[in-house]
Amino acid sequence: MMLRRTVWLLVPALAFAADLPVRDVVLFKNGIGYFERAGQLPAGESARLEFKAGDMNDVLKSLTVIDRAGAKIGTVRYDASEPVDKRLQDFPFDIGHNSSLAVFLDQMRGARLELQIGAEHVAGTMVSARLVPATEKDKESQTVVLLMDSGEMRAYDLAAAAAVRFPDPKLQGMLKDYLAVLSQASSKDRRSIYIDSPGPALRDLIARYTIPAPVWKSTYRLIFGNNGEPTLEGWAIVDNTTGEDWTNVHLSVVSGKPISFITQLYEPKYIQRQDVELEENRPVAPGVFGGSIGGAVGGSIQGSPKSGPARALAPAPPAARQMAGLGSTAESVVVEPADSSIESAPAQEEGELFEYSFASPVTVKKGESAMLPFLQQKIGARKLLVYRESFGLHPMDAAEIANSTGKTLDGGPFTVYDGSAYSGEAIAETIKAGDKRLISYGVDLGTRVTTAWDSSHSVVREVHFHRSVLTARSAVVDTKAYTIRNVDAKAKTLIIEHPQRAGYKLLNQTPVETTADAYRFEVKLAASGSEKFPVTEERVLDQTFSLTNVTASLIAEWFQNKALSDAGRRQLEAIAQKKDEIAENNAAMKRAGADLDDLAKDQARVRSNFESLNRVAGQQELVQQYARELASIEIKLAALRDTQSQLRHKQTALESELNSLMEKTDF
């Protein structure tokens, strides 16, 4: 079977075309092509479909086989694929890279070997083979040692052998199979799928599948004629890389991105299972016991062993013990397979699909590409200019395309012609039916645009007060002026794309349309004329102030604001007045505190002098003077303490009155 399969893989790609030739091809934008084959299959025969080895995952994921008569489909077979390393593990030998014959033969010890050395035919059982490294005197050599039928062992130089042969047919077959596996793994061949036809009747089959295919490309020609509506031509570029001709096929191309991914279905998958052993099957090592240290001679041994019996093997891991049934009455063993990863392409948004189907059959040879027209009709379009500040001084020649074709226009490049003259190139994303899109294809050197900020100022619009918090709502007003100069002697239409700014709104202009990040304004330009186009925007800001921590002078600044109501002004004036009273009381408290500190210092100085002189004879008069000063200071201190206490009480009362005022204030 291996040899027959190898022969099959050498059959040319077109050999199966007569069985089920390609009838329909649909190409998508996600790198997938849909193919449909159809044909008759005689009874008892098999249809063969051939694919690139790398396409088999997609084929196995998508293949559908239908019998037009409704009969049941037989077996679908295919050339299996298995990792080379896995397939080579089944062989008792290994032929490594650059391995010598001696190294290979040494793996066959015990096998029967025949050598043809000159006219002599030698046969024996192989004992060993080795590679003898080169020395200064001798070259590198390879020798094999055989056990002859006579019982002698002889060494032979493999370089002298004209032929080496294994007389065992089984071993010869294994060597051929090994080499066939290596050959198949290294070749870039194709794989076959076979559809069997059981029963005596002729089968009329359809096979459908998807395989990787180059993405089809779209390209357009926008032609502005001298008279009448513009014309749009659409062309689809397709590439046939399947390895076979598409002859008179029905071809379609689809605009859209259905989700597609790769799942490894062709390569066999293996899992690593756990080794599980029953505890009762583990060998037991003999125990080692210590000598007795007491008891009567000839009596029973009273001593205990130093250690218990040693285990020949370490205990099984907990998981293995549990699966082996140790400590449990369960009889079944459950082994969870290792996680298998799925290589998948990134999932893409599934959009609405639109198909372009070519009415006439299409022929594209293998390895060739074709450009096929899918659209040619009048379309709504007008020429104009478009300007963004990033363009610099000059706007761009542009066209506004209104898709009136009734079809989705797949995204791609546009080549623009004005009459018979080439005007430039543009590119656009997909345009749905009924949608509009701007494309720019050149620079208009006959128009100049400059920009400047005319003004920027802040105006307070509203003032509110609630729960001791004053909120002032102000607006920052900006005006950007576009100055446009048309030096050509013809009228033009200019589209200005003014960027949207977060938090700003327009005041004086209305855009013809709005994009995700810009306003579009349409400006008519007279021949050889100038135009100034101002765009004014404002941004409203809220500023909050807690009047508890604001001074009366700052509150007084709001009295002059025209946005403040009369009732609000009166309430703020009352709060400001109360804050002034509190400030004055605070100042008085600070002065009283300073006076107290000064008196306390004087008191300490006088007392120190009094105590020093009171112990000196003849100083009675000065001592009496210091005593009178101390008495006077005490009187003043008492008065200041009373004043300070009154100020504190007044402070508490004023703050309470202020809090009451602010609680009642609301405008």
Side-chain angles (χ1 to χ4, degrees), residues 30-57:
N30 63 349
I32 286 295
Y34 166 86
F35 293 81
E36 181 176 301
R37 298 176 179 271
Q40 292 184 335
L41 183 61
E45 295 190 8
S46 297
R48 181 166 59 89
L49 312 180
E50 196 170 74
F51 303 96
K52 297 177 183 178
D55 296 349
M56 287 296 290
N57 285 315

mmCIF file of all heavy atoms in Angstrom, residues 30-57:
data_model
loop_
_atom_site.group_PDB
_atom_site.id
_atom_site.type_symbol
_atom_site.label_atom_id
_atom_site.label_comp_id
_atom_site.label_asym_id
_atom_site.label_seq_id
_atom_site.Cartn_x
_atom_site.Cartn_y
_atom_site.Cartn_z
ATOM 1 N N ASN A 30 -11.169 36.947 2.675
ATOM 2 C CA ASN A 30 -10.545 36.440 3.900
ATOM 3 C C ASN A 30 -9.502 35.358 3.626
ATOM 4 O O ASN A 30 -9.132 34.611 4.516
ATOM 5 C CB ASN A 30 -11.619 35.900 4.847
ATOM 6 C CG ASN A 30 -12.375 34.725 4.255
ATOM 7 O OD1 ASN A 30 -12.256 34.433 3.067
ATOM 8 N ND2 ASN A 30 -13.172 34.057 5.065
ATOM 9 N N GLY A 31 -9.045 35.259 2.351
ATOM 10 C CA GLY A 31 -8.014 34.291 2.021
ATOM 11 C C GLY A 31 -8.527 32.895 1.774
ATOM 12 O O GLY A 31 -7.752 31.934 1.825
ATOM 13 N N ILE A 32 -9.821 32.759 1.492
ATOM 14 C CA ILE A 32 -10.438 31.458 1.252
ATOM 15 C C ILE A 32 -11.093 31.467 -0.127
ATOM 16 O O ILE A 32 -11.680 32.462 -0.549
ATOM 17 C CB ILE A 32 -11.487 31.133 2.344
ATOM 18 C CG1 ILE A 32 -10.777 30.760 3.648
ATOM 19 C CG2 ILE A 32 -12.409 30.002 1.927
ATOM 20 C CD1 ILE A 32 -9.967 29.479 3.570
ATOM 21 N N GLY A 33 -10.991 30.333 -0.821
ATOM 22 C CA GLY A 33 -11.702 30.145 -2.078
ATOM 23 C C GLY A 33 -12.663 28.976 -1.963
ATOM 24 O O GLY A 33 -12.332 27.937 -1.370
ATOM 25 N N TYR A 34 -13.881 29.161 -2.490
ATOM 26 C CA TYR A 34 -14.886 28.093 -2.494
ATOM 27 C C TYR A 34 -14.883 27.461 -3.881
ATOM 28 O O TYR A 34 -14.960 28.162 -4.903
ATOM 29 C CB TYR A 34 -16.258 28.665 -2.160
ATOM 30 C CG TYR A 34 -17.412 27.739 -2.455
ATOM 31 C CD1 TYR A 34 -17.829 26.801 -1.524
ATOM 32 C CD2 TYR A 34 -18.090 27.811 -3.669
ATOM 33 C CE1 TYR A 34 -18.890 25.950 -1.796
ATOM 34 C CE2 TYR A 34 -19.158 26.964 -3.947
ATOM 35 C CZ TYR A 34 -19.551 26.037 -3.012
ATOM 36 O OH TYR A 34 -20.605 25.198 -3.280
ATOM 37 N N PHE A 35 -14.805 26.120 -3.925
ATOM 38 C CA PHE A 35 -14.747 25.401 -5.191
ATOM 39 C C PHE A 35 -15.853 24.348 -5.233
ATOM 40 O O PHE A 35 -16.148 23.702 -4.217
ATOM 41 C CB PHE A 35 -13.385 24.724 -5.367
ATOM 42 C CG PHE A 35 -12.253 25.703 -5.526
ATOM 43 C CD1 PHE A 35 -11.687 26.318 -4.410
ATOM 44 C CD2 PHE A 35 -11.764 26.020 -6.773
ATOM 45 C CE1 PHE A 35 -10.654 27.226 -4.548
ATOM 46 C CE2 PHE A 35 -10.725 26.929 -6.919
ATOM 47 C CZ PHE A 35 -10.171 27.534 -5.806
ATOM 48 N N GLU A 36 -16.420 24.205 -6.423
ATOM 49 C CA GLU A 36 -17.440 23.169 -6.635
ATOM 50 C C GLU A 36 -17.053 22.367 -7.869
ATOM 51 O O GLU A 36 -16.788 22.913 -8.939
ATOM 52 C CB GLU A 36 -18.818 23.795 -6.830
ATOM 53 C CG GLU A 36 -19.920 22.759 -7.020
ATOM 54 C CD GLU A 36 -21.297 23.382 -7.104
ATOM 55 O OE1 GLU A 36 -21.687 24.057 -6.130
ATOM 56 O OE2 GLU A 36 -21.983 23.189 -8.132
ATOM 57 N N ARG A 37 -17.007 21.052 -7.688
ATOM 58 C CA ARG A 37 -16.715 20.125 -8.784
ATOM 59 C C ARG A 37 -17.948 19.277 -9.051
ATOM 60 O O ARG A 37 -18.712 18.971 -8.124
ATOM 61 C CB ARG A 37 -15.534 19.214 -8.427
ATOM 62 C CG ARG A 37 -14.218 19.944 -8.181
ATOM 63 C CD ARG A 37 -13.146 18.959 -7.742
ATOM 64 N NE ARG A 37 -11.867 19.606 -7.523
ATOM 65 C CZ ARG A 37 -10.947 19.794 -8.456
ATOM 66 N NH1 ARG A 37 -11.185 19.353 -9.697
ATOM 67 N NH2 ARG A 37 -9.811 20.390 -8.181
ATOM 68 N N ALA A 38 -18.123 18.856 -10.285
ATOM 69 C CA ALA A 38 -19.274 18.026 -10.636
ATOM 70 C C ALA A 38 -18.891 17.092 -11.769
ATOM 71 O O ALA A 38 -18.089 17.444 -12.645
ATOM 72 C CB ALA A 38 -20.467 18.898 -11.037
ATOM 73 N N GLY A 39 -19.452 15.886 -11.744
ATOM 74 C CA GLY A 39 -19.189 14.912 -12.799
ATOM 75 C C GLY A 39 -19.830 13.580 -12.475
ATOM 76 O O GLY A 39 -20.398 13.381 -11.394
ATOM 77 N N GLN A 40 -19.744 12.670 -13.439
ATOM 78 C CA GLN A 40 -20.328 11.339 -13.279
ATOM 79 C C GLN A 40 -19.255 10.343 -12.861
ATOM 80 O O GLN A 40 -18.124 10.392 -13.333
ATOM 81 C CB GLN A 40 -20.988 10.897 -14.581
ATOM 82 C CG GLN A 40 -22.227 11.711 -14.930
ATOM 83 C CD GLN A 40 -22.927 11.195 -16.167
ATOM 84 O OE1 GLN A 40 -22.316 10.558 -17.028
ATOM 85 N NE2 GLN A 40 -24.224 11.468 -16.269
ATOM 86 N N LEU A 41 -19.660 9.424 -11.990
ATOM 87 C CA LEU A 41 -18.742 8.429 -11.453
ATOM 88 C C LEU A 41 -19.316 7.046 -11.731
ATOM 89 O O LEU A 41 -20.395 6.698 -11.227
ATOM 90 C CB LEU A 41 -18.561 8.636 -9.944
ATOM 91 C CG LEU A 41 -17.575 7.716 -9.230
ATOM 92 C CD1 LEU A 41 -16.176 7.891 -9.791
ATOM 93 C CD2 LEU A 41 -17.583 8.006 -7.739
ATOM 94 N N PRO A 42 -18.634 6.231 -12.555
ATOM 95 C CA PRO A 42 -19.139 4.883 -12.844
ATOM 96 C C PRO A 42 -19.236 4.035 -11.581
ATOM 97 O O PRO A 42 -18.554 4.272 -10.585
ATOM 98 C CB PRO A 42 -18.093 4.329 -13.822
ATOM 99 C CG PRO A 42 -17.437 5.539 -14.419
ATOM 100 C CD PRO A 42 -17.425 6.559 -13.317
ATOM 101 N N ALA A 43 -20.108 3.027 -11.657
ATOM 102 C CA ALA A 43 -20.331 2.144 -10.508
ATOM 103 C C ALA A 43 -19.049 1.423 -10.136
ATOM 104 O O ALA A 43 -18.297 0.957 -10.997
ATOM 105 C CB ALA A 43 -21.434 1.148 -10.833
ATOM 106 N N GLY A 44 -18.804 1.344 -8.843
ATOM 107 C CA GLY A 44 -17.667 0.609 -8.328
ATOM 108 C C GLY A 44 -16.347 1.327 -8.428
ATOM 109 O O GLY A 44 -15.318 0.787 -8.011
ATOM 110 N N GLU A 45 -16.331 2.532 -8.973
ATOM 111 C CA GLU A 45 -15.078 3.273 -9.098
ATOM 112 C C GLU A 45 -14.988 4.359 -8.022
ATOM 113 O O GLU A 45 -15.949 4.605 -7.293
ATOM 114 C CB GLU A 45 -14.959 3.888 -10.497
ATOM 115 C CG GLU A 45 -14.846 2.848 -11.597
ATOM 116 C CD GLU A 45 -14.483 3.471 -12.931
ATOM 117 O OE1 GLU A 45 -14.171 4.690 -12.941
ATOM 118 O OE2 GLU A 45 -14.504 2.758 -13.957
ATOM 119 N N SER A 46 -13.832 5.003 -7.983
ATOM 120 C CA SER A 46 -13.605 6.068 -7.009
ATOM 121 C C SER A 46 -13.141 7.325 -7.725
ATOM 122 O O SER A 46 -12.301 7.250 -8.631
ATOM 123 C CB SER A 46 -12.548 5.655 -5.972
ATOM 124 O OG SER A 46 -12.985 4.543 -5.223
ATOM 125 N N ALA A 47 -13.720 8.433 -7.334
ATOM 126 C CA ALA A 47 -13.238 9.720 -7.832
ATOM 127 C C ALA A 47 -12.091 10.183 -6.951
ATOM 128 O O ALA A 47 -12.114 9.984 -5.739
ATOM 129 C CB ALA A 47 -14.362 10.743 -7.827
ATOM 130 N N ARG A 48 -11.103 10.791 -7.579
ATOM 131 C CA ARG A 48 -9.939 11.240 -6.832
ATOM 132 C C ARG A 48 -9.785 12.740 -6.988
ATOM 133 O O ARG A 48 -9.724 13.256 -8.105
ATOM 134 C CB ARG A 48 -8.670 10.527 -7.302
ATOM 135 C CG ARG A 48 -7.429 10.944 -6.529
ATOM 136 C CD ARG A 48 -6.278 9.967 -6.796
ATOM 137 N NE ARG A 48 -5.956 9.904 -8.192
ATOM 138 C CZ ARG A 48 -5.067 10.713 -8.789
ATOM 139 N NH1 ARG A 48 -4.462 11.637 -8.073
ATOM 140 N NH2 ARG A 48 -4.797 10.591 -10.061
ATOM 141 N N LEU A 49 -9.721 13.429 -5.848
ATOM 142 C CA LEU A 49 -9.464 14.860 -5.816
ATOM 143 C C LEU A 49 -8.080 15.068 -5.220
ATOM 144 O O LEU A 49 -7.737 14.453 -4.207
ATOM 145 C CB LEU A 49 -10.514 15.597 -4.972
ATOM 146 C CG LEU A 49 -11.977 15.266 -5.243
ATOM 147 C CD1 LEU A 49 -12.875 16.086 -4.327
ATOM 148 C CD2 LEU A 49 -12.327 15.528 -6.693
ATOM 149 N N GLU A 50 -7.296 15.935 -5.843
ATOM 150 C CA GLU A 50 -5.922 16.108 -5.425
ATOM 151 C C GLU A 50 -5.710 17.532 -4.920
ATOM 152 O O GLU A 50 -6.182 18.495 -5.534
ATOM 153 C CB GLU A 50 -4.981 15.832 -6.593
ATOM 154 C CG GLU A 50 -3.538 15.599 -6.180
ATOM 155 C CD GLU A 50 -2.713 15.104 -7.354
ATOM 156 O OE1 GLU A 50 -2.390 15.899 -8.242
ATOM 157 O OE2 GLU A 50 -2.422 13.895 -7.376
ATOM 158 N N PHE A 51 -4.985 17.663 -3.796
ATOM 159 C CA PHE A 51 -4.783 18.960 -3.153
ATOM 160 C C PHE A 51 -3.341 19.095 -2.694
ATOM 161 O O PHE A 51 -2.631 18.094 -2.514
ATOM 162 C CB PHE A 51 -5.710 19.110 -1.941
ATOM 163 C CG PHE A 51 -7.166 18.954 -2.257
ATOM 164 C CD1 PHE A 51 -7.808 17.734 -2.075
ATOM 165 C CD2 PHE A 51 -7.891 20.022 -2.754
ATOM 166 C CE1 PHE A 51 -9.145 17.598 -2.371
ATOM 167 C CE2 PHE A 51 -9.229 19.886 -3.048
ATOM 168 C CZ PHE A 51 -9.866 18.675 -2.863
ATOM 169 N N LYS A 52 -2.953 20.337 -2.478
ATOM 170 C CA LYS A 52 -1.676 20.579 -1.829
ATOM 171 C C LYS A 52 -1.744 20.067 -0.394
ATOM 172 O O LYS A 52 -2.800 20.149 0.250
ATOM 173 C CB LYS A 52 -1.351 22.075 -1.828
ATOM 174 C CG LYS A 52 -1.169 22.689 -3.201
ATOM 175 C CD LYS A 52 -0.934 24.183 -3.098
ATOM 176 C CE LYS A 52 -0.814 24.828 -4.465
ATOM 177 N NZ LYS A 52 -0.639 26.299 -4.386
ATOM 178 N N ALA A 53 -0.634 19.558 0.091
ATOM 179 C CA ALA A 53 -0.623 19.008 1.450
ATOM 180 C C ALA A 53 -1.045 20.053 2.479
ATOM 181 O O ALA A 53 -1.754 19.753 3.445
ATOM 182 C CB ALA A 53 0.764 18.462 1.786
ATOM 183 N N GLY A 54 -0.642 21.314 2.279
ATOM 184 C CA GLY A 54 -0.985 22.355 3.231
ATOM 185 C C GLY A 54 -2.442 22.759 3.207
ATOM 186 O O GLY A 54 -2.900 23.487 4.096
ATOM 187 N N ASP A 55 -3.202 22.320 2.182
ATOM 188 C CA ASP A 55 -4.620 22.680 2.078
ATOM 189 C C ASP A 55 -5.541 21.656 2.720
ATOM 190 O O ASP A 55 -6.757 21.874 2.797
ATOM 191 C CB ASP A 55 -5.023 22.840 0.606
ATOM 192 C CG ASP A 55 -4.291 23.980 -0.081
ATOM 193 O OD1 ASP A 55 -3.648 24.767 0.633
ATOM 194 O OD2 ASP A 55 -4.362 24.077 -1.320
ATOM 195 N N MET A 56 -4.984 20.540 3.183
ATOM 196 C CA MET A 56 -5.823 19.434 3.632
ATOM 197 C C MET A 56 -6.655 19.794 4.857
ATOM 198 O O MET A 56 -7.783 19.316 5.013
ATOM 199 C CB MET A 56 -4.957 18.211 3.917
ATOM 200 C CG MET A 56 -4.430 17.532 2.670
ATOM 201 S SD MET A 56 -5.757 16.834 1.651
ATOM 202 C CE MET A 56 -6.311 15.482 2.684
ATOM 203 N N ASN A 57 -6.138 20.630 5.760
ATOM 204 C CA ASN A 57 -6.926 21.007 6.939
ATOM 205 C C ASN A 57 -8.222 21.692 6.540
ATOM 206 O O ASN A 57 -9.292 21.409 7.089
ATOM 207 C CB ASN A 57 -6.109 21.933 7.846
ATOM 208 C CG ASN A 57 -5.038 21.190 8.628
ATOM 209 O OD1 ASN A 57 -5.293 20.139 9.190
ATOM 210 N ND2 ASN A 57 -3.839 21.728 8.640
#
